[in-house]
Amino acid sequence: MSTPADFRLLCRREEFTSHTSGILPSYMQANLLILPGAIAKDFEDLCHRNPVPCPLLAKTERSFDKLDNVSLITHSDHGFDIRTDIPKYHIFQGGRLQEKSNDCRMYWRDNYVGFLIGCSYSFEGSLISAGLPPKNAVLGQNVSMYKTTKYMDASGIFARCPYVVSMRPYKEKDLDAVRSITSEYKLTHGGPIDWGFDGAIRLGISDLSKPEYGDAIDIEDDEIPVFWGCGVTPHLAIETVGHLIEEPVITHAPGCMLLLDTTYKQFSES
Amino acid sequence: MSTPADFRLLCRREEFTSHTSGILPSYMQANLLILPGAIAKDFEDLCHRNPVPCPLLAKTERSFDKLDNVSLITHSDHGFDIRTDIPKYHIFQGGRLQEKSNDCRMYWRDNYVGFLIGCSYSFEGSLISAGLPPKNAVLGQNVSMYKTTKYMDASGIFARCPYVVSMRPYKEKDLDAVRSITSEYKLTHGGPIDWGFDGAIRLGISDLSKPEYGDAIDIEDDEIPVFWGCGVTPHLAIETVGHLIEEPVITHAPGCMLLLDTTYKQFSES
């Protein structure tokens, strides 16, 4: 397996069905949401109104094998199929997880739209290269993620949907460098949205040791929490308004992303 | 005075120095912020990260007489000069209002960048046409505006800057129509970000009868408050971080906007 296209073929054949963390690390990975046509427009507007937690990279174009941004999937000798080319899918009904599957073709309908959302794997690599590795990466743990009392700006049925943030502890002296490095990654959440213990209060996070998602990461005496927009936000939005959605909604299983044929640098300059 | 270009010339000659509300109502108007080059990039990113309260329409291009979006100022028989072509400017120093002037040429420096931000005058017209006039328009008052406990996603020096919302009371049965009409105005704040008395709580507004800006508008028993992103937000951002800005910052005086050579419809389709 030497290219993202080869990797997607492995997924399609169900020969790879696990996490994509660390797979072909120079290439971008994307979060996936496949939604019924009736709410696709509302979701697209939600992304445009809330680009930090929901950075929309591309969407499918009236089909499961074509994206509206052709620079993301360039090698399709084997073709491309958003319904089979990631390791594992979750299928939701009424906002609740109904099934896990390596293939979601049986749930796809003609009016469905697949959305690719940027993921913060990209900027973690840059922080590591700069000698500022996130603690979760050093410890081999998942980043801490919190549901906040900040709400996204509403769009259609997506109302009252809370913002989810990821948190990485840093020394205060490193804050400027960390902000500067990650703010370059505009297409994958960008720089931190807030920081510090007062930042936690502004975001309505009452207990930093109890993240709603991921692992609890200790914050040492000389560290402060730093908060970024998080790709779990659109998934929580689907759960929050799920009771209003009649048809099934499909997402990637946590950590099981779509491998793209581009590096972050190539993509952001294209 | 029959065209926006004629009107801008009147402003330049200081023959018109008042509010632009109701002037050539079919044309778009824009909020103005003129910032020192050192923080212009931070501000532009702030707009991209927070497009609902800060809808960036255009910026000047290395000069005071040219915009990077040419569809906004098309008639420049008299030339265009962002330093003279609006009725009145406010000049801030250290985040505080220092001077009011009809001409800001003496403060302009070569590295300055002018930013045009969308304004909600556009969608108020559409609500009136649809038989859903905002109460403030009916009463001839200013809209109620509140500083919230929701903060913008940070960008450079613009950290911990609160979101300002405008509020218009509506009957609950009209909410869907009001949301639908205003959500078309994506370039000028779009649809409401939240609504209802529970929405006021989510936004941290403790007393709806005491707006921080504009006039207090009564909410009747059969009405709920509806909240939109508000163009005062970027102005408050300048005040909030003003102590970090060494050079003068220039804005339009409240209500004294730039008249553009385009209707909302033409612009959004261009």
Side-chain angles (χ1 to χ4, degrees), chain A residues 45 48-49 51-52 150-151 153-154 156 159-160 163 179 186 189 191-193 195 198 202, chain B residues 45 48-49 51-52 150-151 153-154 156 159-160 163 179 186 189 191-193 195 198 202:
Chain A
D45 286 348
H48 290 147
R49 280 162 75 83
V52 175
K150 176 172 184 169
Y151 290 82
D153 293 343
R160 301 168 192 186
Y163 216 102
R179 289 188 66 200
K186 294 188 208 311
H189 308 305
I193 65 162
W195 49 86
D198 54 329
R202 276 188 291 275
Chain B
D45 286 348
H48 290 146
R49 281 163 73 81
V52 175
K150 176 173 185 167
Y151 291 80
D153 293 342
R160 301 167 192 189
Y163 217 102
R179 288 187 68 199
K186 295 188 206 312
H189 307 306
I193 64 163
W195 49 86
D198 54 329
R202 277 187 291 274

mmCIF file of all heavy atoms in Angstrom, chain A residues 45 48-49 51-52 150-151 153-154 156 159-160 163 179 186 189 191-193 195 198 202, chain B residues 45 48-49 51-52 150-151 153-154 156 159-160 163 179 186 189 191-193 195 198 202:
data_model
loop_
_atom_site.group_PDB
_atom_site.id
_atom_site.type_symbol
_atom_site.label_atom_id
_atom_site.label_comp_id
_atom_site.label_asym_id
_atom_site.label_seq_id
_atom_site.Cartn_x
_atom_site.Cartn_y
_atom_site.Cartn_z
ATOM 1 N N ASP A 45 -25.007 25.350 4.415
ATOM 2 C CA ASP A 45 -25.041 26.705 4.976
ATOM 3 C C ASP A 45 -24.493 26.734 6.408
ATOM 4 O O ASP A 45 -23.827 27.691 6.800
ATOM 5 C CB ASP A 45 -26.476 27.261 4.967
ATOM 6 C CG ASP A 45 -26.923 27.646 3.562
ATOM 7 O OD1 ASP A 45 -26.067 27.697 2.659
ATOM 8 O OD2 ASP A 45 -28.129 27.891 3.376
ATOM 9 N N HIS A 48 -20.856 27.025 6.096
ATOM 10 C CA HIS A 48 -20.426 28.359 5.671
ATOM 11 C C HIS A 48 -20.561 29.373 6.809
ATOM 12 O O HIS A 48 -19.765 30.300 6.904
ATOM 13 C CB HIS A 48 -21.224 28.821 4.452
ATOM 14 C CG HIS A 48 -20.876 28.044 3.216
ATOM 15 N ND1 HIS A 48 -21.775 27.754 2.231
ATOM 16 C CD2 HIS A 48 -19.717 27.475 2.832
ATOM 17 C CE1 HIS A 48 -21.177 27.040 1.287
ATOM 18 N NE2 HIS A 48 -19.933 26.853 1.632
ATOM 19 N N ARG A 49 -21.555 29.189 7.665
ATOM 20 C CA ARG A 49 -21.761 30.126 8.773
ATOM 21 C C ARG A 49 -20.832 29.834 9.953
ATOM 22 O O ARG A 49 -20.572 30.723 10.761
ATOM 23 C CB ARG A 49 -23.226 30.073 9.248
ATOM 24 C CG ARG A 49 -24.178 30.877 8.368
ATOM 25 C CD ARG A 49 -25.622 30.490 8.573
ATOM 26 N NE ARG A 49 -26.243 30.977 9.789
ATOM 27 C CZ ARG A 49 -26.767 32.198 9.955
ATOM 28 N NH1 ARG A 49 -26.675 33.086 8.999
ATOM 29 N NH2 ARG A 49 -27.358 32.533 11.081
ATOM 30 N N PRO A 51 -17.434 28.187 9.903
ATOM 31 C CA PRO A 51 -16.343 27.503 9.200
ATOM 32 C C PRO A 51 -15.253 26.967 10.122
ATOM 33 O O PRO A 51 -14.526 26.050 9.713
ATOM 34 C CB PRO A 51 -15.775 28.597 8.286
ATOM 35 C CG PRO A 51 -16.134 29.893 8.958
ATOM 36 C CD PRO A 51 -17.463 29.635 9.627
ATOM 37 N N VAL A 52 -15.133 27.461 11.343
ATOM 38 C CA VAL A 52 -14.046 26.989 12.211
ATOM 39 C C VAL A 52 -14.322 25.573 12.735
ATOM 40 O O VAL A 52 -13.491 24.682 12.564
ATOM 41 C CB VAL A 52 -13.746 28.001 13.327
ATOM 42 C CG1 VAL A 52 -12.707 27.454 14.292
ATOM 43 C CG2 VAL A 52 -13.268 29.322 12.734
ATOM 44 N N LYS A 150 -21.180 27.324 24.017
ATOM 45 C CA LYS A 150 -21.196 28.174 22.828
ATOM 46 C C LYS A 150 -21.986 27.409 21.767
ATOM 47 O O LYS A 150 -21.748 26.209 21.578
ATOM 48 C CB LYS A 150 -19.755 28.427 22.369
ATOM 49 C CG LYS A 150 -19.641 29.220 21.089
ATOM 50 C CD LYS A 150 -18.195 29.609 20.789
ATOM 51 C CE LYS A 150 -18.165 30.500 19.550
ATOM 52 N NZ LYS A 150 -16.839 31.130 19.364
ATOM 53 N N TYR A 151 -22.904 28.082 21.099
ATOM 54 C CA TYR A 151 -23.720 27.401 20.101
ATOM 55 C C TYR A 151 -23.355 27.893 18.710
ATOM 56 O O TYR A 151 -22.985 29.062 18.532
ATOM 57 C CB TYR A 151 -25.209 27.647 20.377
ATOM 58 C CG TYR A 151 -25.658 26.927 21.620
ATOM 59 C CD1 TYR A 151 -25.433 27.479 22.881
ATOM 60 C CD2 TYR A 151 -26.239 25.670 21.537
ATOM 61 C CE1 TYR A 151 -25.795 26.790 24.036
ATOM 62 C CE2 TYR A 151 -26.615 24.984 22.686
ATOM 63 C CZ TYR A 151 -26.381 25.550 23.931
ATOM 64 O OH TYR A 151 -26.735 24.864 25.063
ATOM 65 N N ASP A 153 -24.022 29.270 14.963
ATOM 66 C CA ASP A 153 -25.036 30.127 14.366
ATOM 67 C C ASP A 153 -25.974 29.217 13.569
ATOM 68 O O ASP A 153 -25.524 28.417 12.741
ATOM 69 C CB ASP A 153 -24.372 31.175 13.475
ATOM 70 C CG ASP A 153 -23.551 32.163 14.302
ATOM 71 O OD1 ASP A 153 -23.762 32.219 15.529
ATOM 72 O OD2 ASP A 153 -22.713 32.869 13.743
ATOM 73 N N ALA A 154 -27.275 29.325 13.832
ATOM 74 C CA ALA A 154 -28.261 28.389 13.296
ATOM 75 C C ALA A 154 -28.328 28.421 11.771
ATOM 76 O O ALA A 154 -28.013 29.435 11.139
ATOM 77 C CB ALA A 154 -29.640 28.706 13.869
ATOM 78 N N GLY A 156 -31.247 26.548 9.058
ATOM 79 C CA GLY A 156 -32.315 25.580 8.785
ATOM 80 C C GLY A 156 -32.629 24.732 10.010
ATOM 81 O O GLY A 156 -32.780 25.256 11.108
ATOM 82 N N ALA A 159 -30.435 24.057 14.546
ATOM 83 C CA ALA A 159 -30.542 25.130 15.527
ATOM 84 C C ALA A 159 -30.143 24.584 16.891
ATOM 85 O O ALA A 159 -30.361 23.404 17.174
ATOM 86 C CB ALA A 159 -31.970 25.651 15.557
ATOM 87 N N ARG A 160 -29.565 25.434 17.726
ATOM 88 C CA ARG A 160 -29.198 25.063 19.090
ATOM 89 C C ARG A 160 -28.217 23.900 19.123
ATOM 90 O O ARG A 160 -28.325 23.001 19.960
ATOM 91 C CB ARG A 160 -30.452 24.713 19.897
ATOM 92 C CG ARG A 160 -31.384 25.899 19.907
ATOM 93 C CD ARG A 160 -32.760 25.604 20.415
ATOM 94 N NE ARG A 160 -33.592 26.762 20.100
ATOM 95 C CZ ARG A 160 -34.833 26.918 20.498
ATOM 96 N NH1 ARG A 160 -35.400 26.013 21.248
ATOM 97 N NH2 ARG A 160 -35.515 27.997 20.158
ATOM 98 N N TYR A 163 -21.140 23.854 20.007
ATOM 99 C CA TYR A 163 -19.770 23.823 19.523
ATOM 100 C C TYR A 163 -18.988 22.815 20.376
ATOM 101 O O TYR A 163 -19.082 22.844 21.608
ATOM 102 C CB TYR A 163 -19.248 25.219 19.838
ATOM 103 C CG TYR A 163 -18.315 25.861 18.891
ATOM 104 C CD1 TYR A 163 -18.774 26.835 18.006
ATOM 105 C CD2 TYR A 163 -16.959 25.575 18.936
ATOM 106 C CE1 TYR A 163 -17.889 27.490 17.166
ATOM 107 C CE2 TYR A 163 -16.080 26.223 18.097
ATOM 108 C CZ TYR A 163 -16.543 27.175 17.209
ATOM 109 O OH TYR A 163 -15.666 27.818 16.399
ATOM 110 N N ARG A 179 -0.239 29.267 18.473
ATOM 111 C CA ARG A 179 -1.293 29.971 17.736
ATOM 112 C C ARG A 179 -0.847 30.221 16.304
ATOM 113 O O ARG A 179 -1.590 30.026 15.348
ATOM 114 C CB ARG A 179 -1.626 31.317 18.402
ATOM 115 C CG ARG A 179 -2.356 31.201 19.725
ATOM 116 C CD ARG A 179 -2.813 32.572 20.205
ATOM 117 N NE ARG A 179 -3.828 33.130 19.323
ATOM 118 C CZ ARG A 179 -4.147 34.416 19.242
ATOM 119 N NH1 ARG A 179 -3.499 35.306 19.963
ATOM 120 N NH2 ARG A 179 -5.089 34.819 18.421
ATOM 121 N N LYS A 186 -6.014 26.978 7.960
ATOM 122 C CA LYS A 186 -7.353 27.573 7.882
ATOM 123 C C LYS A 186 -8.424 26.563 7.459
ATOM 124 O O LYS A 186 -9.584 26.718 7.783
ATOM 125 C CB LYS A 186 -7.358 28.722 6.880
ATOM 126 C CG LYS A 186 -6.495 29.891 7.312
ATOM 127 C CD LYS A 186 -6.704 31.081 6.380
ATOM 128 C CE LYS A 186 -5.465 31.963 6.324
ATOM 129 N NZ LYS A 186 -4.927 32.317 7.637
ATOM 130 N N HIS A 189 -9.709 23.819 10.839
ATOM 131 C CA HIS A 189 -9.989 24.436 12.146
ATOM 132 C C HIS A 189 -9.121 25.654 12.481
ATOM 133 O O HIS A 189 -9.497 26.441 13.352
ATOM 134 C CB HIS A 189 -9.929 23.420 13.294
ATOM 135 C CG HIS A 189 -10.774 22.212 13.074
ATOM 136 N ND1 HIS A 189 -12.118 22.318 12.797
ATOM 137 C CD2 HIS A 189 -10.481 20.884 13.047
ATOM 138 C CE1 HIS A 189 -12.610 21.084 12.653
ATOM 139 N NE2 HIS A 189 -11.640 20.209 12.780
ATOM 140 N N GLY A 191 -6.318 28.327 13.954
ATOM 141 C CA GLY A 191 -5.744 28.559 15.278
ATOM 142 C C GLY A 191 -6.769 28.338 16.377
ATOM 143 O O GLY A 191 -7.960 28.134 16.116
ATOM 144 N N PRO A 192 -6.285 28.352 17.646
ATOM 145 C CA PRO A 192 -7.208 28.171 18.775
ATOM 146 C C PRO A 192 -8.290 29.251 18.802
ATOM 147 O O PRO A 192 -8.037 30.398 18.419
ATOM 148 C CB PRO A 192 -6.316 28.291 20.016
ATOM 149 C CG PRO A 192 -4.955 28.641 19.564
ATOM 150 C CD PRO A 192 -4.888 28.524 18.081
ATOM 151 N N ILE A 193 -9.476 28.893 19.266
ATOM 152 C CA ILE A 193 -10.554 29.878 19.358
ATOM 153 C C ILE A 193 -10.498 30.619 20.685
ATOM 154 O O ILE A 193 -10.981 31.729 20.801
ATOM 155 C CB ILE A 193 -11.957 29.248 19.175
ATOM 156 C CG1 ILE A 193 -12.294 28.270 20.295
ATOM 157 C CG2 ILE A 193 -12.060 28.548 17.822
ATOM 158 C CD1 ILE A 193 -13.786 27.975 20.379
ATOM 159 N N TRP A 195 -8.340 30.301 24.995
ATOM 160 C CA TRP A 195 -7.328 29.603 25.809
ATOM 161 C C TRP A 195 -7.386 30.117 27.234
ATOM 162 O O TRP A 195 -8.026 31.133 27.526
ATOM 163 C CB TRP A 195 -5.919 29.825 25.217
ATOM 164 C CG TRP A 195 -5.652 31.260 24.924
ATOM 165 C CD1 TRP A 195 -5.170 32.201 25.787
ATOM 166 C CD2 TRP A 195 -5.903 31.923 23.677
ATOM 167 N NE1 TRP A 195 -5.106 33.411 25.158
ATOM 168 C CE2 TRP A 195 -5.537 33.278 23.861
ATOM 169 C CE3 TRP A 195 -6.393 31.524 22.423
ATOM 170 C CZ2 TRP A 195 -5.662 34.236 22.852
ATOM 171 C CZ3 TRP A 195 -6.511 32.467 21.425
ATOM 172 C CH2 TRP A 195 -6.141 33.797 21.639
ATOM 173 N N ASP A 198 -9.661 31.073 32.139
ATOM 174 C CA ASP A 198 -10.791 31.985 31.903
ATOM 175 C C ASP A 198 -11.469 31.644 30.567
ATOM 176 O O ASP A 198 -12.678 31.775 30.419
ATOM 177 C CB ASP A 198 -10.330 33.457 31.930
ATOM 178 C CG ASP A 198 -9.182 33.741 30.977
ATOM 179 O OD1 ASP A 198 -8.352 32.819 30.728
ATOM 180 O OD2 ASP A 198 -9.094 34.867 30.459
ATOM 181 N N ARG A 202 -15.396 30.952 29.747
ATOM 182 C CA ARG A 202 -16.151 31.554 28.633
ATOM 183 C C ARG A 202 -16.860 30.488 27.795
ATOM 184 O O ARG A 202 -17.934 30.713 27.255
ATOM 185 C CB ARG A 202 -15.215 32.367 27.726
ATOM 186 C CG ARG A 202 -14.956 33.791 28.222
ATOM 187 C CD ARG A 202 -14.194 34.612 27.185
ATOM 188 N NE ARG A 202 -12.822 34.152 27.020
ATOM 189 C CZ ARG A 202 -11.790 34.522 27.781
ATOM 190 N NH1 ARG A 202 -11.980 35.370 28.770
ATOM 191 N NH2 ARG A 202 -10.586 34.036 27.572
ATOM 192 N N ASP B 45 -8.653 37.647 8.661
ATOM 193 C CA ASP B 45 -8.882 36.278 9.134
ATOM 194 C C ASP B 45 -10.033 36.232 10.138
ATOM 195 O O ASP B 45 -10.803 35.270 10.155
ATOM 196 C CB ASP B 45 -7.606 35.719 9.786
ATOM 197 C CG ASP B 45 -6.555 35.354 8.754
ATOM 198 O OD1 ASP B 45 -6.877 35.307 7.550
ATOM 199 O OD2 ASP B 45 -5.389 35.134 9.147
ATOM 200 N N HIS B 48 -13.090 35.966 8.140
ATOM 201 C CA HIS B 48 -13.272 34.648 7.542
ATOM 202 C C HIS B 48 -13.680 33.600 8.581
ATOM 203 O O HIS B 48 -14.431 32.683 8.281
ATOM 204 C CB HIS B 48 -12.000 34.203 6.821
ATOM 205 C CG HIS B 48 -11.739 35.001 5.580
ATOM 206 N ND1 HIS B 48 -10.483 35.312 5.140
ATOM 207 C CD2 HIS B 48 -12.583 35.589 4.716
ATOM 208 C CE1 HIS B 48 -10.569 36.046 4.041
ATOM 209 N NE2 HIS B 48 -11.844 36.229 3.763
ATOM 210 N N ARG B 49 -13.191 33.769 9.812
ATOM 211 C CA ARG B 49 -13.529 32.805 10.862
ATOM 212 C C ARG B 49 -14.905 33.082 11.467
ATOM 213 O O ARG B 49 -15.505 32.177 12.063
ATOM 214 C CB ARG B 49 -12.464 32.824 11.970
ATOM 215 C CG ARG B 49 -11.213 32.049 11.590
ATOM 216 C CD ARG B 49 -10.038 32.404 12.481
ATOM 217 N NE ARG B 49 -10.059 31.897 13.841
ATOM 218 C CZ ARG B 49 -9.699 30.668 14.217
ATOM 219 N NH1 ARG B 49 -9.342 29.786 13.311
ATOM 220 N NH2 ARG B 49 -9.690 30.321 15.487
ATOM 221 N N PRO B 51 -17.901 34.741 9.859
ATOM 222 C CA PRO B 51 -18.547 35.440 8.743
ATOM 223 C C PRO B 51 -19.946 35.972 9.047
ATOM 224 O O PRO B 51 -20.402 36.880 8.365
ATOM 225 C CB PRO B 51 -18.608 34.372 7.646
ATOM 226 C CG PRO B 51 -18.601 33.073 8.381
ATOM 227 C CD PRO B 51 -17.730 33.301 9.593
ATOM 228 N N VAL B 52 -20.623 35.446 10.059
ATOM 229 C CA VAL B 52 -21.993 35.906 10.320
ATOM 230 C C VAL B 52 -21.997 37.312 10.950
ATOM 231 O O VAL B 52 -22.648 38.205 10.428
ATOM 232 C CB VAL B 52 -22.780 34.865 11.154
ATOM 233 C CG1 VAL B 52 -24.150 35.393 11.530
ATOM 234 C CG2 VAL B 52 -22.920 33.566 10.353
ATOM 235 N N LYS B 150 -21.256 35.268 24.105
ATOM 236 C CA LYS B 150 -20.678 34.438 23.044
ATOM 237 C C LYS B 150 -19.492 35.212 22.480
ATOM 238 O O LYS B 150 -19.616 36.415 22.228
ATOM 239 C CB LYS B 150 -21.736 34.202 21.961
ATOM 240 C CG LYS B 150 -21.229 33.431 20.757
ATOM 241 C CD LYS B 150 -22.359 33.073 19.785
ATOM 242 C CE LYS B 150 -21.814 32.205 18.658
ATOM 243 N NZ LYS B 150 -22.880 31.578 17.867
ATOM 244 N N TYR B 151 -18.359 34.559 22.313
ATOM 245 C CA TYR B 151 -17.165 35.249 21.825
ATOM 246 C C TYR B 151 -16.838 34.790 20.419
ATOM 247 O O TYR B 151 -17.079 33.646 20.054
ATOM 248 C CB TYR B 151 -15.981 34.993 22.761
ATOM 249 C CG TYR B 151 -16.183 35.680 24.089
ATOM 250 C CD1 TYR B 151 -16.993 35.110 25.071
ATOM 251 C CD2 TYR B 151 -15.629 36.919 24.341
ATOM 252 C CE1 TYR B 151 -17.226 35.758 26.275
ATOM 253 C CE2 TYR B 151 -15.852 37.585 25.542
ATOM 254 C CZ TYR B 151 -16.650 37.000 26.500
ATOM 255 O OH TYR B 151 -16.897 37.647 27.672
ATOM 256 N N ASP B 153 -14.478 33.502 17.405
ATOM 257 C CA ASP B 153 -13.292 32.657 17.337
ATOM 258 C C ASP B 153 -12.103 33.586 17.095
ATOM 259 O O ASP B 153 -12.121 34.399 16.171
ATOM 260 C CB ASP B 153 -13.451 31.631 16.213
ATOM 261 C CG ASP B 153 -14.561 30.633 16.533
ATOM 262 O OD1 ASP B 153 -14.951 30.533 17.711
ATOM 263 O OD2 ASP B 153 -15.038 29.949 15.612
ATOM 264 N N ALA B 154 -11.072 33.449 17.936
ATOM 265 C CA ALA B 154 -9.956 34.397 17.944
ATOM 266 C C ALA B 154 -9.177 34.396 16.628
ATOM 267 O O ALA B 154 -9.152 33.408 15.891
ATOM 268 C CB ALA B 154 -9.011 34.056 19.091
ATOM 269 N N GLY B 156 -5.335 36.331 15.659
ATOM 270 C CA GLY B 156 -4.270 37.291 15.947
ATOM 271 C C GLY B 156 -4.573 38.104 17.188
ATOM 272 O O GLY B 156 -4.932 37.543 18.225
ATOM 273 N N ALA B 159 -8.648 38.697 20.174
ATOM 274 C CA ALA B 159 -9.009 37.596 21.062
ATOM 275 C C ALA B 159 -10.012 38.114 22.078
ATOM 276 O O ALA B 159 -9.965 39.284 22.457
ATOM 277 C CB ALA B 159 -7.759 37.065 21.752
ATOM 278 N N ARG B 160 -10.896 37.229 22.530
ATOM 279 C CA ARG B 160 -11.878 37.582 23.567
ATOM 280 C C ARG B 160 -12.771 38.747 23.164
ATOM 281 O O ARG B 160 -13.066 39.622 23.973
ATOM 282 C CB ARG B 160 -11.149 37.903 24.872
ATOM 283 C CG ARG B 160 -10.334 36.709 25.319
ATOM 284 C CD ARG B 160 -9.350 37.003 26.389
ATOM 285 N NE ARG B 160 -8.468 35.831 26.487
ATOM 286 C CZ ARG B 160 -7.580 35.643 27.437
ATOM 287 N NH1 ARG B 160 -7.442 36.526 28.386
ATOM 288 N NH2 ARG B 160 -6.829 34.566 27.446
ATOM 289 N N TYR B 163 -19.431 38.809 20.635
ATOM 290 C CA TYR B 163 -20.405 38.846 19.571
ATOM 291 C C TYR B 163 -21.501 39.858 19.961
ATOM 292 O O TYR B 163 -22.006 39.808 21.079
ATOM 293 C CB TYR B 163 -21.034 37.471 19.568
ATOM 294 C CG TYR B 163 -21.397 36.847 18.269
ATOM 295 C CD1 TYR B 163 -20.588 35.869 17.703
ATOM 296 C CD2 TYR B 163 -22.596 37.165 17.642
ATOM 297 C CE1 TYR B 163 -20.966 35.228 16.536
ATOM 298 C CE2 TYR B 163 -22.967 36.532 16.470
ATOM 299 C CZ TYR B 163 -22.147 35.565 15.924
ATOM 300 O OH TYR B 163 -22.519 34.940 14.780
ATOM 301 N N ARG B 179 -37.115 33.578 9.311
ATOM 302 C CA ARG B 179 -35.838 32.874 9.132
ATOM 303 C C ARG B 179 -35.571 32.644 7.649
ATOM 304 O O ARG B 179 -34.462 32.850 7.170
ATOM 305 C CB ARG B 179 -35.862 31.513 9.840
ATOM 306 C CG ARG B 179 -35.814 31.588 11.351
ATOM 307 C CD ARG B 179 -35.655 30.178 11.933
ATOM 308 N NE ARG B 179 -34.345 29.648 11.617
ATOM 309 C CZ ARG B 179 -34.026 28.359 11.655
ATOM 310 N NH1 ARG B 179 -34.914 27.446 11.988
ATOM 311 N NH2 ARG B 179 -32.807 27.956 11.352
ATOM 312 N N LYS B 186 -27.059 36.053 2.788
ATOM 313 C CA LYS B 186 -25.851 35.455 3.343
ATOM 314 C C LYS B 186 -24.707 36.458 3.495
ATOM 315 O O LYS B 186 -23.826 36.298 4.319
ATOM 316 C CB LYS B 186 -25.374 34.318 2.436
ATOM 317 C CG LYS B 186 -26.335 33.155 2.375
ATOM 318 C CD LYS B 186 -25.700 32.002 1.616
ATOM 319 C CE LYS B 186 -26.751 31.108 0.986
ATOM 320 N NZ LYS B 186 -27.844 30.712 1.878
ATOM 321 N N HIS B 189 -25.189 39.113 7.149
ATOM 322 C CA HIS B 189 -25.553 38.469 8.419
ATOM 323 C C HIS B 189 -26.479 37.258 8.276
ATOM 324 O O HIS B 189 -26.551 36.454 9.206
ATOM 325 C CB HIS B 189 -26.162 39.467 9.427
ATOM 326 C CG HIS B 189 -25.312 40.670 9.662
ATOM 327 N ND1 HIS B 189 -23.997 40.578 10.048
ATOM 328 C CD2 HIS B 189 -25.561 41.999 9.522
ATOM 329 C CE1 HIS B 189 -23.491 41.797 10.165
ATOM 330 N NE2 HIS B 189 -24.405 42.673 9.837
ATOM 331 N N GLY B 191 -29.631 34.578 8.188
ATOM 332 C CA GLY B 191 -30.763 34.321 9.084
ATOM 333 C C GLY B 191 -30.379 34.514 10.546
ATOM 334 O O GLY B 191 -29.205 34.697 10.877
ATOM 335 N N PRO B 192 -31.391 34.466 11.442
ATOM 336 C CA PRO B 192 -31.112 34.609 12.873
ATOM 337 C C PRO B 192 -30.169 33.523 13.374
ATOM 338 O O PRO B 192 -30.202 32.388 12.882
ATOM 339 C CB PRO B 192 -32.486 34.469 13.525
ATOM 340 C CG PRO B 192 -33.455 34.124 12.471
ATOM 341 C CD PRO B 192 -32.822 34.292 11.146
ATOM 342 N N ILE B 193 -29.339 33.883 14.360
ATOM 343 C CA ILE B 193 -28.426 32.872 14.918
ATOM 344 C C ILE B 193 -29.111 32.095 16.037
ATOM 345 O O ILE B 193 -28.742 30.967 16.328
ATOM 346 C CB ILE B 193 -27.112 33.482 15.435
ATOM 347 C CG1 ILE B 193 -27.342 34.443 16.612
ATOM 348 C CG2 ILE B 193 -26.379 34.219 14.307
ATOM 349 C CD1 ILE B 193 -26.060 34.722 17.383
ATOM 350 N N TRP B 195 -33.043 32.335 18.835
ATOM 351 C CA TRP B 195 -34.322 33.019 19.088
ATOM 352 C C TRP B 195 -34.937 32.479 20.376
ATOM 353 O O TRP B 195 -34.490 31.461 20.907
ATOM 354 C CB TRP B 195 -35.291 32.808 17.913
ATOM 355 C CG TRP B 195 -35.390 31.388 17.498
ATOM 356 C CD1 TRP B 195 -36.201 30.423 18.013
ATOM 357 C CD2 TRP B 195 -34.569 30.747 16.494
ATOM 358 N NE1 TRP B 195 -35.952 29.219 17.391
ATOM 359 C CE2 TRP B 195 -34.967 29.385 16.465
ATOM 360 C CE3 TRP B 195 -33.564 31.179 15.639
ATOM 361 C CZ2 TRP B 195 -34.375 28.468 15.601
ATOM 362 C CZ3 TRP B 195 -32.975 30.255 14.774
ATOM 363 C CH2 TRP B 195 -33.386 28.926 14.760
ATOM 364 N N ASP B 198 -35.231 31.387 25.750
ATOM 365 C CA ASP B 198 -34.126 30.477 26.048
ATOM 366 C C ASP B 198 -32.904 30.847 25.197
ATOM 367 O O ASP B 198 -31.757 30.700 25.636
ATOM 368 C CB ASP B 198 -34.537 29.009 25.825
ATOM 369 C CG ASP B 198 -35.104 28.750 24.428
ATOM 370 O OD1 ASP B 198 -35.723 29.683 23.846
ATOM 371 O OD2 ASP B 198 -34.931 27.643 23.904
ATOM 372 N N ARG B 202 -29.051 31.520 26.338
ATOM 373 C CA ARG B 202 -27.855 30.942 25.712
ATOM 374 C C ARG B 202 -26.850 32.019 25.328
ATOM 375 O O ARG B 202 -25.650 31.816 25.348
ATOM 376 C CB ARG B 202 -28.243 30.144 24.452
ATOM 377 C CG ARG B 202 -28.699 28.722 24.728
ATOM 378 C CD ARG B 202 -28.899 27.927 23.433
ATOM 379 N NE ARG B 202 -30.028 28.404 22.655
ATOM 380 C CZ ARG B 202 -31.294 28.019 22.835
ATOM 381 N NH1 ARG B 202 -31.585 27.120 23.750
ATOM 382 N NH2 ARG B 202 -32.261 28.513 22.098
#
